[in-house]
Coordinates of all heavy atoms in Angstrom, one line a residue:
S1362 N -143.5 106.5 56.5 CA -142.1 106.4 56.9 C -141.2 105.9 55.8 O -140.0 106.1 55.8 CB -141.9 105.5 58.1 OG -142.6 104.3 57.9
L1363 N -141.7 105.2 54.8 CA -140.8 104.5 53.9 C -141.1 104.8 52.4 O -142.3 104.9 52.1 CB -141.0 103.0 54.0 CG -140.2 102.2 55.1 CD1 -140.8 100.8 55.2 CD2 -138.7 102.1 54.6
S1364 N -140.1 104.8 51.6 CA -140.4 104.7 50.2 C -139.2 103.9 49.6 O -138.3 103.6 50.3 CB -140.4 106.1 49.6 OG -139.1 106.6 49.5
R1365 N -139.4 103.5 48.4 CA -138.3 102.7 47.8 C -137.7 103.3 46.6 O -138.4 103.8 45.7 CB -138.8 101.3 47.4 CG -137.7 100.4 47.1 CD -138.1 99.0 46.9 NE -137.0 98.3 46.4 CZ -136.1 97.7 47.1 NH1 -136.2 97.7 48.4 NH2 -135.0 97.2 46.6
R1366 N -136.4 103.3 46.5 CA -135.7 103.8 45.3 C -135.3 102.6 44.5 O -134.7 101.7 45.1 CB -134.5 104.6 45.8 CG -134.1 105.7 44.9 CD -133.1 106.6 45.6 NE -131.9 105.9 46.0 CZ -131.0 106.5 46.7 NH1 -131.2 107.7 47.3 NH2 -129.8 105.9 47.0
A1367 N -135.7 102.5 43.3 CA -135.5 101.3 42.5 C -134.1 101.3 41.8 O -133.5 102.3 41.6 CB -136.6 101.1 41.5
G1368 N -133.7 100.1 41.5 CA -132.6 100.0 40.5 C -131.2 100.0 41.1 O -130.2 99.8 40.3
E1369 N -131.0 100.1 42.4 CA -129.6 100.1 42.9 C -129.3 98.6 43.2 O -130.1 97.8 43.6 CB -129.6 100.8 44.3 CG -130.1 102.2 44.2 CD -128.9 103.2 43.9 OE1 -127.8 102.7 43.7 OE2 -129.2 104.4 44.0
A1370 N -128.0 98.2 42.9 CA -127.6 96.9 43.1 C -127.5 96.6 44.6 O -127.0 97.4 45.4 CB -126.2 96.6 42.5
E1371 N -128.2 95.5 45.1 CA -128.1 95.2 46.5 C -127.4 93.9 46.7 O -127.6 93.0 45.9 CB -129.5 95.1 47.1 CG -130.7 95.5 46.2 CD -132.0 95.2 46.9 OE1 -132.2 94.1 47.3 OE2 -132.8 96.1 46.9
E1372 N -126.7 93.8 47.7 CA -126.0 92.5 48.0 C -125.6 92.4 49.4 O -124.9 93.3 49.9 CB -124.8 92.3 47.0 CG -124.4 90.9 46.7 CD -125.5 90.1 46.1 OE1 -125.9 90.3 45.0 OE2 -126.0 89.2 46.9
T1373 N -125.9 91.3 50.0 CA -125.5 90.9 51.3 C -125.5 89.4 51.2 O -125.9 88.9 50.2 CB -126.6 91.4 52.3 OG1 -126.5 92.8 52.4 CG2 -126.4 90.8 53.7
T1374 N -125.1 88.7 52.2 CA -125.1 87.3 52.1 C -125.3 86.6 53.4 O -124.9 87.0 54.4 CB -123.8 86.8 51.3 OG1 -124.0 85.4 50.9 CG2 -122.6 86.9 52.2
H1375 N -126.1 85.5 53.3 CA -126.4 84.7 54.5 C -125.9 83.3 54.4 O -126.0 82.7 53.3 CB -127.9 84.7 54.8 CG -128.2 83.9 56.0 ND1 -128.1 84.5 57.3 CD2 -128.5 82.6 56.2 CE1 -128.4 83.6 58.2 NE2 -128.6 82.4 57.6
L1376 N -125.3 82.8 55.5 CA -125.0 81.4 55.5 C -125.5 80.7 56.8 O -125.7 81.4 57.8 CB -123.4 81.2 55.5 CG -122.6 81.7 56.7 CD1 -122.3 80.6 57.7 CD2 -121.3 82.3 56.2
S1377 N -125.9 79.4 56.6 CA -126.4 78.6 57.7 C -125.6 77.4 57.9 O -125.2 76.7 56.9 CB -127.9 78.3 57.4 OG -128.7 79.4 57.4
V1378 N -125.3 77.0 59.2 CA -124.6 75.8 59.5 C -125.3 75.1 60.6 O -125.9 75.7 61.5 CB -123.1 76.2 60.0 CG1 -122.4 74.9 60.3 CG2 -122.4 76.9 58.9
A1379 N -125.4 73.7 60.5 CA -125.9 72.9 61.5 C -125.2 71.7 61.7 O -124.6 71.1 60.7 CB -127.4 72.6 61.2
T1380 N -125.1 71.2 62.9 CA -124.4 69.9 63.1 C -125.3 69.0 64.0 O -126.2 69.5 64.6 CB -123.0 70.1 63.8 OG1 -123.2 70.9 65.0 CG2 -122.0 70.7 62.9
P1381 N -125.0 67.7 63.9 CA -126.0 66.7 64.5 C -126.1 66.9 66.1 O -127.1 66.5 66.6 CB -125.4 65.3 64.2 CG -124.2 65.6 63.3 CD -123.9 67.0 63.2
D1382 N -125.2 67.6 66.7 CA -125.3 67.7 68.2 C -126.3 68.9 68.5 O -126.4 69.2 69.7 CB -123.9 68.0 68.8 CG -123.3 69.3 68.2 OD1 -123.9 69.9 67.3 OD2 -122.1 69.6 68.6
G1383 N -126.9 69.4 67.5 CA -127.9 70.5 67.8 C -127.3 71.9 67.8 O -127.9 72.9 68.1
S1384 N -126.0 72.0 67.4 CA -125.4 73.3 67.2 C -125.8 73.9 65.9 O -126.1 73.2 64.9 CB -123.8 73.2 67.1 OG -123.3 72.7 68.3
A1385 N -125.9 75.2 65.9 CA -126.3 75.9 64.6 C -125.7 77.3 64.7 O -125.5 77.9 65.7 CB -127.8 76.0 64.5
V1386 N -125.3 77.8 63.5 CA -124.9 79.2 63.3 C -125.6 79.8 62.2 O -125.7 79.2 61.1 CB -123.4 79.3 63.1 CG1 -123.0 80.8 62.9 CG2 -122.6 78.7 64.3
S1387 N -126.2 80.9 62.4 CA -127.0 81.7 61.4 C -126.2 83.0 61.2 O -126.2 83.8 62.2 CB -128.4 81.9 61.9 OG -129.2 82.4 60.9

Side-chain angles (χ1 to χ4, degrees):
S1362 54
L1363 272 169
S1364 71
R1365 190 175 171 87
R1366 209 163 64 188
E1369 304 270 7
E1371 349 176 311
E1372 206 57 71
T1373 290
T1374 193
H1375 180 82
L1376 66 94
S1377 293
V1378 178
T1380 51
D1382 60 0
S1384 297
V1386 178
S1387 188

